[in-house]
């Protein structure tokens, strides 16, 4: 008799990698998110606490312990939505998101197959977004991308995004549209 194996996958799990560039300090703009791992750990925007988090938000080892305790086989790690920075200057966003994608990909590669990952693209510039999407797929071997429901105040059906959607469709890149959008001000 053949027994079917069941896997449990947690698809909606945000992760904020340690060591991302402090773009607030680099640009002088306090909207950039950063991790303060102090006790209690928290995500910051400038001097303001955006959200208090648990260490599993940034510690993949602790996350694996929790997965084991909960009986979860795999988890899809995606960027914390505040890190999608659709309001930022395209080159700054590209730098920040590339660092985040590199970190998430490294976490997945070190997880023995337990973590799958979604990257992020600077969607405010379709050319940069398409290039990062290709890097996510080809070089980093991530499993898809996450975007917000709006891009710098534009709906996702805005004509300026047509080349991005065409490239994503042609390459069959899975896209998770998070049901929130960034705000321009704190």
């Amino acid at each position: 008799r053949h027994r079917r194996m069941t896997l449990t996958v947690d698809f909606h799990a945000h992760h904020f990698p340690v060591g991302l560039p402090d773009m607030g300090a680099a640009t002088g703009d306090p909207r950039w998110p950063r991790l303060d791992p102090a006790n209690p750990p928290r995500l910051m925007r400038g001097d303001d606490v955006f959200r208090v988090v648990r260490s599993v938000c940034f510690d993949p080892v602790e996350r694996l312990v929790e997965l084991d305790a909960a009986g979860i086989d795999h988890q899809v790690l995606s960027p914390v939505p505040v890190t999608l920075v659709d309001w930022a200057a395209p080159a700054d966003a590209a730098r920040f998101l590339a660092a985040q994608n590199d970190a998430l990909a490294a976490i997945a590669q070190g997880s023995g197959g337990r973590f799958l990952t979604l990257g992020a693209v600077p969607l405010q510039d379709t050319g940069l977004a398409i290039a990062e999407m290709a890097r996510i797929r080809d070089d980093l071997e991530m499993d898809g991308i996450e975007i917000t429901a709006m891009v710098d105040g534009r709906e996702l059906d805005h004509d300026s995004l047509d080349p991005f959607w065409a490239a994503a469709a042609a390459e069959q890149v899975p896209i998770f549209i998070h049901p929130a959008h960034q705000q321009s001000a704190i």
Side-chain angles (χ1 to χ4, degrees), residues 40-43 49-54:
R42 55 207 171 172
L43 302 181
V49 175
F50 176 75
R51 180 172 294 137
V52 173
V53 297
R54 297 180 29 231

Side-chain angles (χ1 to χ4, degrees), residues 129-173:
I130 291 167
E132 186 64 9
M133 181 171 51
R135 193 178 82 87
I136 285 168
R137 183 194 66 237
D138 298 336
D139 299 341
L140 300 179
E141 299 179 350
M142 297 175 85
D143 301 288
I145 61 173
E146 176 186 18
I147 63 173
T148 56
M150 291 184 75
V151 179
D152 197 21
R154 292 175 286 155
E155 298 287 340
L156 295 178
D157 64 350
H158 193 274
D159 292 347
S160 66
L161 299 175
D162 287 349
F164 168 78
W165 292 116
E171 297 300 326
Q172 298 183 345
V173 175

